[in-house]
Amino acid sequence: MYSCYFDILISMEQTFIMIKPNAVEKGLVGEILKRIESKGLKVVEQRMSTLSKEKASELYAVHKERPFYNDLVEYITSGPVVLMKVEGNSAVKAMRSIMGATDPLEAASGTIRGDYGLDITKNLVHGSDSAENAQKELNLFF
Ligand SMILES: Nc1ncnc2c1ncn2[C@@H]1O[C@H](COP(=O)(O)OP(=O)(O)O)[C@@H](O)[C@H]1O
Ligand SMILES: [Mg+2]
């Protein structure tokens, strides 16, 4: 019983989630929030914002040399997004699993990207890819 408690304690994590402009535009905020909460994760902070070019380029700095970078920054600053701090057991991995693969055409149905998207840039939701990056990204916004 104590070791079980300890396991939960050590895998408690926070991750940075952003509902992207096309998902806000399509009225999917409630649906995405419902999936996060149904999974058992907790949204501990949340706010709406329109990202500046500076913030967007900080968030996506690792992609600066990629051919899609300019389109990505243009898109992510094109309208309001919802920024979230999400907490729970293995939150980074749990969120990546309910988001689905980067390309909505490859994402399994039942995932957010698989169910609601067709476009790899406008893929509805961002989620940190490691606990370390989650802390960096959370520090950018919270
Ligand atoms: N090949 C691509 N063409 C256009 N946009 C892309 C491509 N790959 C990734 N993107 C965009 O850049 C974002 C960051 O990419 P990446 O970190 O690889 O994916 P993920 O969001 O699944 O972690 C993606 O969510 C998507 O919006
Ligand atoms: Mg990523």
Side-chain angles (χ1 to χ4, degrees):
M1 180 189 157
Y2 290 123
S3 72
C4 180
Y5 176 69
F6 190 59
D7 283 347
I8 291 168
L9 204 66
I10 58 172
S11 53
M12 188 59 72
E13 241 173 24
Q14 291 184 334
T15 188
F16 172 65
I17 299 302
M18 177 174 63
I19 302 181
K20 296 185 177 184
N22 68 313
V24 173
E25 162 78 18
K26 285 167 81 173
L28 290 171
V29 174
E31 175 60 34
I32 292 170
L33 187 57
K34 190 180 93 187
R35 288 178 181 221
I36 294 170
E37 292 182 326
S38 302
K39 184 71 178 168
L41 297 165
K42 209 172 177 69
V43 177
V44 293
E45 291 199 51
Q46 173 175 311
R47 73 170 196 278
M48 203 157 212
S49 174
T50 300
L51 299 196
S52 63
K53 289 260 166 16
E54 290 69 33
K55 275 285 176 199
S57 53
E58 283 183 85
L59 176 63
Y60 286 128
V62 293
H63 299 299
K64 211 166 50 202
E65 306 304 329
R66 310 284 289 278
F68 57 81
Y69 175 78
N70 287 338
D71 287 346
L72 178 59
V73 170
E74 193 66 36
Y75 158 62
I76 215 68
T77 57
S78 67
V81 296
V82 177
L83 308 169
M84 293 174 171
K85 183 190 282 188
V86 172
E87 194 173 273
N89 190 13
S90 299
V92 170
K93 191 174 176 190
M95 275 305 310
R96 297 288 298 192
S97 127
I98 66 170
M99 286 160 53
T102 303
D103 184 350
L105 296 177
E106 304 290 333
S109 72
T111 65
I112 296 165
R113 287 164 167 173
D115 287 350
Y116 298 114
L118 288 169
D119 184 315
I120 191 168
T121 301
K122 300 177 180 178
N123 61 358
L124 306 145
V125 63
H126 168 90
S128 310
D129 63 5
S130 67
E132 193 189 345
N133 284 336
Q135 283 314 313
K136 287 186 194 156
E137 293 173 359
L138 286 168
N139 287 338
L140 277 179
F141 295 101
F142 292 102

